[in-house]
Amino acid sequence: MDRNQSHRQLAAMKQSLFDQGYLDEQFIQLEELQDDANPHFAEEIVTLYFRDSSRFISNLDQAMERNPLDFGKLDSIMHQFKGSSSSIGAQKVKAECTLFREYCAAENAEGCMRSFQQLKKEYAVLRKKLETYFQLAK
Amino acid sequence: MNKNAFSSRRGAFPAGLRVLVVDDDLTWLRILEMMLKKCSYEVTTCCLAREALNLLRERKDGYDIVISDVNMPDMDGFKLLEHVGLEMDLPVIMMSVDGETGRVMKGVQHGACDYLLKPIRMKELRNIWQHVIRKRMREAREFGSLKGFEGFQLMRNGEDQYDEGNLFAIEDMTSTKKRKNPDSKRDNKEFGDQSSTKKSRVVWSVDLHQNFVKAVNELGFDKVGPKKILDLMNVPWLTRDNVASHLQKYRLYLSRLQKAGDQDSSSSGIQQSDLVSEDPAASFSFQNPINRQQQNDVSIDSHKYSSDGTLQLQNVDAEISHEGNNLKAIISEATIDKRTELPASIQDTKTRESAQKINDQSFATPDSEASHAAVFKCTNPWRDFPEMQLKKHQPYLSMKDRFSHLPLPGTEHLIQVGDQSQADASIRSDPSVMERETASCIETKPLYAADHTSDYASSVTSIGSAGGFSMQSYAADYTSDYASSVTSIGSARGFSMQSKSFMGNDESLEPVSTSNFGRKTEGLNLNSVSDLESHQRDLLLGGEFPSSAAPLEEDLKSFWLQGERCMNSGLQNIEMPEYYYDPGLAGEVPIHLFDTAENSAVDQGLFIAYDL
């Protein structure tokens, strides 16, 4: 019972993550790559992502404190961040990256600030959700 | 390195395809590794471009295909792309989260055989083997299109430039031609069978090629045979088969030149027009650079270059050098019949001029890439960018004018254009000049002057990032089918001057393998650079090498350094990578350089220096 329950919970949670747009198709791809030899592949990748991308967040934090903002640099970091986020299917995070880059292109500091804040929020939320998800999956 | 990768592969092709993945994003690296493994490929990953190059160089034939991200911290993906193409001549797939057309275009222009957008699906990776096959086929076609037993023999044996991977491709060529069904097991089997005869690639350096051409000319093109050529060349490590395959390519090249010449009925030397019509893109690219460059009004009357094509070469030559563009086209013309003296002198002057110009340019260009002699291979107009089409062409460069332009204060590149009997171009690069830019003026000798009287084909290879373009003698009007070789050394793409591509690239008549070309050219560029540099004396370009297009100054420097080493090693199968590229140096190409190059490249189409 317990197992079934957690399975269902897992499935439900996953579904909700997709429905709410936190994750996209790429995440499914990750799970499909799992096999007997690599049963926790998706989780490994997600862990790797959050670990690796934290540097982007800190770089961005630093860069955002500059005055005036170096939009080129910001854009460059964000580009990498976006690429990385696409690896796990972090849809909302990716969308926020795109928005941020648009503000950079327009040299809209205000927009960048807001977007960055939103991005960090999305990032944190996703992290939490996925942690829970993988806990359930164990 | 496992030279018999094929035989060790489990399962049918494409299982066991050896893929090198380069991406600074660790997450993606891991994902791609897993995906590729699921496709039964042999995967090697690295997160640094330099490391990737080292790996590639260490194991010359250790990989079948490279997948690389565009944005990497230590080196721009495009640059890596060029290096790989140049040095290893492997198909390269680019990846990026950015699918913006301009970027993709850039990738294509730099020679990528594909451009994938992240997130990448596994099904996209499943089919990457097609690029390997395609490339092999293209290469094989160089052999294959030449009729004759030798061609087939070569194919069969996978001589020369074919290593194991190629072998299988060659075989595959026949089968795929019949039925391009990637899922065919039949094909797979064939591939597997080919693994036995693996031969290492022969690098047809400029010197070696010059030697070859000399031998061919001495024998008389019609009477040549690989054995005789081999004997004349007197290169101990070269085998008859190597020569045979190279001869095939050479013949192909000449036949293309001839065809181009034949096509051009009205105006002399208008191959270009033909080419243009055949492949607008190509001609554009070719033209573009020229147009842009046109500053000097050099009109080529003798060379009848059709408005766009040939002229451009000429113009480019002159102009480029002045403009300090990255691409320099050096046009060396060898007029065989009537202009015997002229050609030689003209060539000299021209080449010299070009060389100088190129040098000037190269040096002048902040971007470093500057003057590269781009050798255009007329025959392959296809590459480049349609948008690059230059409308403004300068009309013909008159030889005389060229002469007057010739001696530029800058570097003295002695380009000796051979006389009809041979096109020996020696380019001496003045080290001081070349310092940053490698603009090696590569003289294009009227290389393929198989027949003194008739086809004197000069190979024109433009090596630019834009893409290899092969311009074959545009000097259509010459009765003798004079082909001037225009060598512009541009960064990148150029045309593969390396032995095989050089001649064979003609097959470029098909709109294709950008990657192929680009890669080859790149290789050449690098080659030439290093060669030139190192020698500072005769670099026989003979068309093969035309350009040392070092996209970046640093690269150039490194090339030169490498060049020294490399030249010393002689004509052997020089390991190009070491030869040309020193990762340490090349790493830091300033971004701005690229940018500039890019702009000019875009303008010039062919003559595109590396751009980012």
Side-chain angles (χ1 to χ4, degrees), chain A residues 25-26 33 35 83-84 87, chain B residues 25 27-28 31 38 71 121:
Chain A
E25 229 268 324
Q26 178 66 16
L33 287 173
D35 54 21
S84 200
S87 72
Chain B
D25 186 311
T27 318
W28 268 114
I31 295 175
K38 292 249 171 191
N71 299 86
R121 297 276 172 272

Side-chain angles (χ1 to χ4, degrees), chain B residues 207-506:
Chain B
D207 286 331
L208 190 59
H209 182 72
Q210 289 283 340
N211 190 351
F212 167 83
V213 174
K214 209 183 335 182
V216 167
N217 293 335
E218 279 179 34
L219 290 169
F221 190 61
D222 293 336
K223 303 197 193 68
V224 292
K227 182 82 178 66
K228 294 185 197 161
I229 298 173
L230 183 65
D231 291 341
L232 265 182
M233 284 177 72
N234 194 25
V235 176
W237 54 269
L238 202 62
T239 70
R240 182 205 160 280
D241 284 334
N242 296 151
V243 175
S245 71
H246 194 69
L247 179 62
Q248 292 288 0
K249 288 184 177 164
Y250 188 67
R251 281 189 176 131
L252 179 60
Y253 168 82
L254 289 177
S255 69
R256 285 175 193 252
L257 286 177
Q258 192 152 34
K259 236 185 300 173
D262 292 343
Q263 283 167 1
D264 179 28
S265 48
S266 50
S267 53
S268 38
I270 312 299
Q271 316 257 353
Q272 184 74 107
S273 38
D274 288 331
L275 287 175
V276 174
S277 53
E278 284 174 10
D279 192 333
S283 27
F284 294 150
S285 51
F286 189 69
Q287 297 172 356
N288 284 335
I290 301 187
N291 282 338
R292 275 200 106 230
Q293 314 281 351
Q294 311 214 334
Q295 291 178 354
N296 302 324
D297 251 6
V298 200
S299 54
I300 306 174
D301 43 29
S302 53
H303 298 279
K304 312 187 196 175
Y305 281 91
S306 57
S307 51
D308 297 336
T310 40
L311 285 186
Q312 316 226 324
L313 288 182
Q314 310 281 351
N315 286 334
V316 177
D317 192 3
E319 321 269 308
I320 293 183
S321 48
H322 295 305
E323 293 192 13
N325 285 316
N326 295 339
L327 305 173
K328 288 193 183 220
I330 297 182
I331 301 179
S332 65
E333 284 145 341
T335 5
I336 300 192
D337 52 1
K338 328 164 172 189
R339 310 161 140 283
T340 321
E341 304 76 35
L342 237 203
S345 50
I346 290 178
Q347 284 174 356
D348 283 343
T349 9
K350 270 183 188 293
T351 36
R352 198 171 318 213
E353 179 183 343
S354 322
Q356 290 174 341
K357 292 195 182 170
I358 292 190
N359 284 333
D360 291 347
Q361 280 195 336
S362 50
F363 298 112
T365 329
D367 298 348
S368 73
E369 292 175 358
S371 46
H372 293 287
V375 174
F376 290 91
K377 245 182 163 165
C378 310
T379 43
N380 298 320
W382 47 270
R383 303 257 210 99
D384 298 51
F385 334 69
E387 58 248 20
M388 303 250 214
Q389 189 166 7
L390 295 184
K391 320 1 174 327
K392 14 186 171 164
H393 301 301
Q394 284 221 341
Y396 303 92
L397 288 176
S398 61
M399 294 251 212
K400 300 166 202 191
D401 292 347
R402 293 182 65 86
F403 277 97
S404 59
H405 289 291
L406 278 192
L408 291 184
T411 7
E412 279 288 329
H413 288 278
L414 302 187
I415 298 185
Q416 299 166 359
V417 177
D419 57 14
Q420 10 189 107
S421 53
Q422 4 187 340
D424 280 350
S426 37
I427 293 184
R428 303 185 200 188
S429 44
D430 178 343
S432 55
V433 179
M434 305 280 254
E435 213 178 303
R436 314 156 70 226
E437 291 145 354
T438 16
S440 32
C441 294
I442 296 196
E443 58 178 28
T444 26
K445 23 191 234 170
L447 282 199
Y448 302 102
D451 237 290
H452 301 334
T453 43
S454 55
D455 313 3
Y456 214 67
S458 44
S459 50
V460 173
T461 310
S462 68
I463 297 190
S465 53
F469 199 80
S470 71
M471 293 225 324
Q472 297 203 351
S473 50
Y474 284 109
D477 64 324
Y478 292 136
T479 39
S480 60
D481 225 36
Y482 185 73
S484 38
S485 40
V486 175
T487 311
S488 65
I489 298 186
S491 47
R493 319 236 126 205
F495 223 63
S496 48
M497 292 313 283
Q498 292 185 6
S499 51
K500 48 180 171 159
S501 42
F502 171 63
M503 305 243 244
N505 284 330
D506 302 9

Side-chain angles (χ1 to χ4, degrees), chain A residues 25-26 29-30 33 35 38 41 44-45 48-49 52 79-80 83-84 86-87, chain B residues 24-28 30-31 34-35 38 71 96-98 118-122:
Chain A
E25 229 268 324
Q26 178 66 16
Q29 289 271 312
L30 290 185
L33 287 173
D35 54 21
N38 301 277
F41 183 70
E44 286 165 19
I45 292 293
L48 181 57
Y49 163 72
D52 194 46
H79 180 97
Q80 288 180 277
S84 200
S86 67
S87 72
Chain B
D24 64 312
D25 186 311
L26 298 175
T27 318
W28 268 114
R30 189 84 180 80
I31 295 175
M34 180 60 90
M35 285 184 175
K38 292 249 171 191
N71 299 86
S96 178
V97 67
D98 181 2
K118 289 178 171 177
I120 298 178
R121 297 276 172 272
M122 195 155 113

